[in-house]
Amino acid sequence: MPSQLTPELRLVSAVLAGLLAWMPVARAQPAGPPAISSSPGSATGPAVGSALSPPPLPSLLPGGLPLPSLPAGTQQEIMQRILDAAGGRPPPGPLPAPAAPTPSSPFPAMPAMPGVAPAASLGEPLSHTEAFFAERLGLALRQFGYDSFRSGPGGAGVLGALPDDYIIGRDDELVLALRGRTRSTLNLRVLRDGTLVTPDLPPIPAAGRTLRDLRADLEARIARDMPGTEAYLAIGQVRQIAIFVGGEVQRPGMQALTALSSVLDALQQAGGVRKTGSLRGIRVEGPRGSRVVDLYAVIAGERGSVDLSLREGERIVVPPLGGVVALAGEVTRPGIYELPAGSAGVPLSAALRLAGDPLRPAGNRFLSQGTDGGGRRSFTELRPQDLVRRGDSVLVQPGADVIANQLRLAGHVTAPVTRAIGRGGVSLNGLLSDPRLVRPDPYPRLAVILRLDAQTRVRQFVPFDLSRTLQGQGNLPLAEGDEVIVLGNSDIAWLASPPVQRALRGEAPPDDSCPALTQLAIAARSAPARFAHARGAGFPDIGAPGCPQVFRDYPPLLAFLLDTAVLLAGEVRQPGLFPIQDNTGLDALLAAAGGVTDGADLSAIELAREPVEQAGTIPLSRTLLDLRSRNFRAVRLSPRDVIRVPRSFTDRETGPVTLAGEAVRPGVYDIRRGERLSELLARAGGLTGQAYAYGTVFTRDSVRLRQQEGFARTARDLETSLIQVAAGQAVAGGRGQNVDVGNAISAGRELANALRQAQAAGRMVVEANPVLLAARPELDVLLEPGDLIVIPKRPNEVTVVGAVLNPGSLQFQSGWRASDYLRAAGGPQRFADTSRAFVVFPNGQSAPAGLSGWQAGGPPVPPGSLVVVPQDPSPFETWGFIRDLTQVLSQVTISSAALAVIAREMR
């Protein structure tokens, strides 16, 4: 160590190794060392608390040597200097953080500005200056430049070769290499008197000279005194200098630096400048005089040169913070900036340059918040040449944040395109010059331009023919802010969907997912006749397709398209609502719908049109058009027209009939209008030898629906009667006064459920014997689509069901009557009602069984018949509906028998 250092600092080299090994252990201790109190005359001043005082020195040096006994104040001073030299690491144990300044009023909640982070995200409290501007602006800005010292103190390293203008001083170590006749390498140190002493040369003055001058002098001396030898001079180790740093820094005092250190190194070694200190008025005083260092020239790129070099004996003083201004809003680097030292204000343009200039090159608005003479806040609109003064805050905002010279292509396109309007403007053909911008399957007849009126600021739709535009025709100039919307075929098909049809009837959509439907429902309910042409199609209510994206983006577009739509119905491949322009040809409309079907009757196409005149009455005119010449182009259409293409008359029915069972060629047959059963049997090759024509089951859909409705109606009537019985309004005059009403109601309810669950067959009584049909043509039934004819084999049994002792199927006996089959089945049960027994014949007819004594057993029963013996209905005879119920039970039995035959023959 140099001889001019104090005895305490000479111990640093010996103690530093032991300190580095000891500090991790000291940091791990749970509690800090006890406080060290200094004597009144000590250099450390008054007593220091245990939390802030440095730890004591270890008792042993490396190697086990005892540390000489030193006073407590001397130990504290040595320890503090060791910690400062090691990078300013704090002593073991946590240090209490200073309390953050709390403003008198809370900051107003403001949206975060670009590039400005809240104070909480930085992990440090606001300074007094930052809190002052935060209260005014409503957002937290940081003082610029102070985070340059956030990395903490650190020494200046010597990297690479030293410059030739390096000033050599005392204690610098030089390396002199001699090559040639004399070969040696000398490590020389500049003595305290400033000279450099070599073995073979007289002392050479070195201190205060540049490295270049000293190298040249040495080369000249060696060349003169030592011929044949070359000299090479370099700096081996630079000297240490002590610089005093005072003022508004974290750790003021003497700082040990190298001779290459700058003002920034000294400030960094001192812990950085406090936020209460100035960055633009730092004074450097010393043997060379006094100068002011403006650090903004280094960290902010301000114009001008600054001398940051240091010489031994100089001192650095950081004065208090000068005037500051705050810049927020749309600038590159929002923050709080210090004014130049000694100035009361600067032009706004200079302050904006510190903040990196506004983000916008032009069109900015500068709103300044300052303080008037009475201390009140005042707002001023500034220009770049106006002055900003101490305490002003400037908010940079756009003068008019609007979009100009822009076009947009949206809708059924590959990707939304934004274009700029150049000096020559943009036309519709130019925007759609590349057809690949439009996705496949666009709707060719109409697209729209959403245009904003420059005077009224009202947006309106301007229609155009997309097909002509893509062909380079029908060009239109585009204006600023236009949005060209292309529609797809799927968007147009949605106009005839059930959600739109319900909205046309004034029904609100179930949710708010499609605002276009809500607007349409309101308009349709307000003016029902407005969309009468769109409601006249009768489209089926099938499915619930979602709302296309184009109607989510542009809700008024739906009503506009319906106002310009033509209804195309009938024999076309894709009926629906098709928006068009006025004077569009029918050929173009049919092309958009895929053309007419093969069965279209072109001789009677109906055109319905409302007059254009806005008169008191609006008569609807209908015209029949004969377009068998297919001159569709001659028919010019207008919005709200209705075109109906009828189907040509044909005697072919719209559906087939099914023939099953004992026919020669059973199967599914298409029929003509007016075709009869005998004709169908002839087409099928007639009946087989085992066919039982008398038991033919003929079912029809319309009859089945009526029977099913009759079952449901009877079940409702039965339940109504049950309610009346429960209320005590229907039990009067009955023969069974001791009837258990509760059980009767339960039985009636079960009967009603059975009626609802009964399946109607829809059977009709027909004659299917070809011989009889030829003899009596009036019995030949007309066929309808969906009819089912089942011809069974000849059966050999008669079935007895109901209230009999042994229900089942019995072998047919020629000449037997119902009473005979009843006796063969064991006779009636105790509660059987033989007076109401009936026989269901194989052709579907029914007749009383004739089981009463005076009826003599009824008529003979043919094979395949069904004898039904019902229960005694006496508990229910007090109810008026029991007479109707007997007929319904007969129909249920007939349907069950028919379904059994169908199931057997269709297997």
Side-chain angles (χ1 to χ4, degrees):
M1 295 296 292
S3 58
Q4 67 267 27
L5 296 180
T6 61
E8 292 81 3
L9 289 180
R10 291 194 183 101
L11 293 173
V12 170
S13 59
V15 175
L16 185 57
L19 177 65
L20 295 178
W22 165 81
M23 284 187 68
V25 179
R27 289 182 184 273
Q29 294 176 357
I36 301 177
S37 59
S38 60
S39 60
S42 173
T44 58
V48 182
S50 60
L52 298 179
S53 60
L57 293 177
S59 58
L60 296 177
L61 292 175
L65 297 177
L67 184 69
S69 177
L70 295 175
T74 305
Q75 290 191 33
Q76 181 180 0
E77 181 181 2
I78 294 173
M79 194 64 193
Q80 184 62 54
R81 294 193 181 188
I82 291 174
L83 290 176
D84 293 344
R89 290 188 291 269
L95 292 177
T102 304
S104 57
S105 61
F107 302 154
M110 295 288 287
M113 301 300 296
V116 180
S121 65
L122 297 179
E124 60 183 50
L126 297 176
S127 65
H128 289 288
T129 303
E130 292 167 346
F132 171 80
F133 285 106
E135 184 178 3
R136 290 192 164 207
L137 294 174
L139 51 91
L141 297 178
R142 288 301 187 184
Q143 292 178 248
F144 173 75
Y146 294 90
D147 55 355
S148 301
F149 305 100
R150 185 175 295 169
S151 60
V158 181
L159 301 177
L162 295 180
D164 287 342
D165 58 355
Y166 172 72
I167 305 298
I168 298 175
R170 292 184 296 270
D171 291 331
D172 275 340
E173 184 180 289
L174 304 178
V175 178
L176 178 61
L178 302 177
R179 297 295 182 266
R181 296 180 60 182
T182 304
R183 299 179 60 87
S184 63
T185 300
L186 304 176
N187 292 329
L188 307 176
R189 183 178 295 276
V190 180
L191 302 180
R192 292 184 58 83
D193 58 359
T195 60
L196 187 66
V197 178
T198 63
D200 299 326
L201 296 175
I204 302 172
R209 302 176 65 180
T210 64
L211 179 60
R212 181 187 302 106
D213 293 341
L214 182 58
R215 182 183 290 118
D217 188 8
L218 275 172
E219 290 175 352
R221 290 173 179 265
I222 291 175
R224 183 183 64 244
D225 298 339
M226 302 173 63
T229 301
E230 295 181 355
Y232 301 93
L233 182 65
I235 301 294
Q237 183 177 358
V238 296
R239 66 187 182 277
Q240 296 287 322
I241 61 175
I243 299 296
F244 177 79
V245 182
E248 296 297 320
V249 293
Q250 298 292 343
R251 288 189 302 275
M254 294 295 297
Q255 308 296 331
L257 305 169
T258 66
L260 293 175
S261 299
S262 64
V263 174
L264 290 176
D265 298 325
L267 294 175
Q268 186 81 4
Q269 188 72 19
V273 180
R274 300 176 183 267
K275 289 188 175 181
T276 55
S278 172
L279 296 180
R280 310 200 64 176
I282 299 175
R283 297 195 309 273
V284 180
E285 302 170 348
R288 295 185 295 172
S290 177
R291 67 183 188 277
V292 176
V293 174
D294 186 355
L295 291 186
Y296 272 30
V298 179
I299 60 178
E302 274 289 271
R303 299 186 182 94
S305 60
V306 58
D307 184 7
L308 297 178
S309 63
L310 287 176
R311 299 285 181 86
E312 188 171 4
E314 289 183 332
R315 60 181 177 274
I316 301 173
V317 179
V318 179
L321 180 65
V324 292
V325 295
L327 296 175
E330 296 186 358
V331 291
T332 304
R333 192 169 53 201
I336 302 172
Y337 295 90
E338 185 180 0
L339 299 177
S343 64
V346 294
L348 177 60
S349 58
L352 292 174
R353 189 169 61 250
L354 291 175
D357 291 324
L359 297 176
R360 298 170 181 262
N364 294 295
R365 173 172 168 263
F366 307 104
L367 179 63
S368 173
Q369 181 181 170
T371 306
D372 61 8
R376 298 181 296 267
R377 300 183 186 180
S378 63
F379 291 89
T380 310
E381 294 280 350
L382 297 181
R383 297 170 298 175
Q385 60 269 24
D386 294 338
L387 291 179
V388 289
R389 295 175 175 83
R390 180 189 185 107
D392 288 351
S393 57
V394 180
L395 184 63
V396 181
Q397 298 174 329
D401 192 7
V402 296
I403 300 176
N405 299 327
Q406 175 183 293
L407 293 174
R408 191 167 184 267
L409 177 63
H412 192 74
V413 294
T414 54
V417 177
T418 301
R419 293 279 300 274
I421 298 180
R423 295 182 179 178
V426 177
S427 65
L428 189 59
N429 288 348
L431 182 64
L432 296 174
S433 58
D434 189 354
R436 290 170 294 187
L437 291 175
V438 180
R439 292 167 54 190
D441 297 325
Y443 178 64
R445 297 278 65 88
L446 187 118
V448 295
I449 302 172
L450 183 58
R451 178 164 292 173
L452 180 67
D453 189 285
Q455 297 180 352
T456 62
R457 307 299 296 171
V458 175
R459 298 201 300 177
Q460 58 184 357
F461 293 105
V462 179
F464 67 92
D465 193 305
L466 177 65
S467 178
R468 297 186 59 200
T469 301
L470 294 178
Q471 296 172 6
Q473 305 172 6
N475 195 15
L476 290 176
L478 297 178
E480 176 187 323
D482 283 353
E483 294 188 48
V484 180
I485 306 171
V486 178
L487 301 170
N489 284 330
S490 59
D491 301 328
I492 300 303
W494 190 70
L495 299 180
S497 65
V500 176
Q501 295 300 311
R502 287 192 289 268
L504 288 173
R505 296 193 294 267
E507 301 177 14
D511 51 18
D512 298 334
S513 59
C514 190
L517 291 177
T518 304
Q519 295 185 13
L520 180 61
I522 295 174
R525 186 169 294 182
S526 175
R530 175 182 173 186
F531 303 106
H533 68 290
R535 290 197 299 267
F539 295 112
D541 194 356
I542 300 175
C547 181
Q549 187 62 40
V550 67
F551 297 112
R552 298 176 187 269
D553 298 336
Y554 307 95
L557 181 59
L558 178 58
F560 173 80
L561 293 179
L562 292 173
D563 282 332
T564 60
V566 169
L567 173 60
L568 185 58
E571 292 298 316
V572 292
R573 300 191 185 278
Q574 186 181 345
L577 294 164
F578 297 90
I580 62 168
Q581 285 188 288
D582 195 15
N583 200 32
T584 299
L586 179 58
D587 58 334
L589 181 63
L590 291 176
V596 297
T597 63
D598 297 336
D601 184 6
L602 301 181
S603 64
I605 296 179
E606 181 183 279
L607 169 62
R609 174 171 292 175
E610 296 178 0
V612 181
E613 296 81 8
Q614 299 294 329
T617 59
I618 305 179
L620 181 66
S621 63
R622 290 191 177 93
T623 306
L624 289 180
L625 305 175
D626 188 353
L627 296 177
R628 284 176 289 183
S629 63
R630 293 187 175 270
N631 187 17
F632 301 119
R633 185 179 179 84
V635 180
R636 314 307 292 181
L637 301 177
S638 299
R640 305 177 65 84
D641 285 350
V642 177
I643 300 293
R644 298 184 185 275
V645 182
R647 183 173 180 83
S648 300
F649 177 78
T650 177
D651 62 350
R652 184 174 185 174
E653 281 288 2
T654 58
V657 297
T658 303
L659 178 62
E662 294 301 314
V664 176
R665 290 187 295 270
V668 179
Y669 291 85
D670 58 337
I671 60 174
R672 297 173 300 156
R673 296 176 185 268
E675 188 166 351
R676 295 182 178 272
L677 178 59
S678 61
E679 297 176 286
L680 176 64
L681 294 176
R683 291 169 61 189
L687 303 181
T688 65
Q690 298 180 355
Y692 187 45
Y694 183 64
T696 299
V697 176
F698 187 98
T699 64
R700 178 164 287 175
D701 290 339
S702 58
V703 177
R704 178 181 56 80
L705 292 176
R706 288 194 297 270
Q707 289 179 354
Q708 202 73 47
E709 291 174 357
F711 293 168
R713 182 173 57 254
T714 304
R716 290 194 300 269
D717 295 342
L718 177 58
E719 290 179 340
T720 302
S721 300
L722 292 176
I723 295 175
Q724 294 176 356
V725 171
Q729 300 176 1
V731 183
R735 63 183 180 184
Q737 300 298 328
N738 297 325
V739 175
D740 188 349
V741 178
N743 292 335
I745 292 177
S746 300
R749 185 178 294 110
E750 293 178 359
L751 182 58
N753 294 333
L755 287 175
R756 283 197 177 91
Q757 296 175 3
Q759 183 179 0
R763 183 175 185 178
M764 293 175 54
V765 178
V766 298
E767 180 59 58
N769 192 334
V771 177
L772 293 178
L773 292 178
R776 300 182 62 182
E778 70 275 8
L779 300 179
D780 201 357
V781 65
L782 289 172
L783 299 178
E784 292 182 2
D787 287 349
L788 173 64
I789 303 102
V790 180
I791 302 176
K793 294 180 180 180
R794 180 180 178 85
N796 194 29
E797 76 278 348
V798 172
T799 303
V800 181
V801 296
V804 295
L805 294 177
N806 186 21
S809 297
L810 302 175
Q811 186 175 3
F812 169 73
Q813 299 291 334
S814 178
W816 277 26
R817 302 176 184 273
S819 58
D820 300 326
Y821 288 105
L822 179 60
R823 283 194 302 272
Q829 293 180 357
R830 178 182 177 185
F831 296 103
D833 186 4
T834 56
S835 63
R836 287 189 172 90
F838 58 92
V839 179
V840 179
F841 296 107
N843 65 347
Q845 293 179 334
S846 61
L851 298 181
S852 299
W854 57 271
Q855 291 177 328
V861 176
S865 298
L866 179 68
V867 180
V868 181
V869 180
Q871 291 279 352
D872 183 9
S874 57
F876 305 98
E877 284 185 347
T878 55
W879 306 345
F881 68 91
I882 194 62
R883 292 182 299 274
D884 300 331
L885 186 60
T886 303
Q887 182 180 0
V888 174
L889 290 176
S890 175
Q891 293 180 1
V892 172
T893 305
I894 293 173
S895 296
S896 300
L899 292 175
V901 174
I902 293 173
R904 183 175 64 249
E905 296 297 331
M906 295 292 288
R907 284 183 295 185

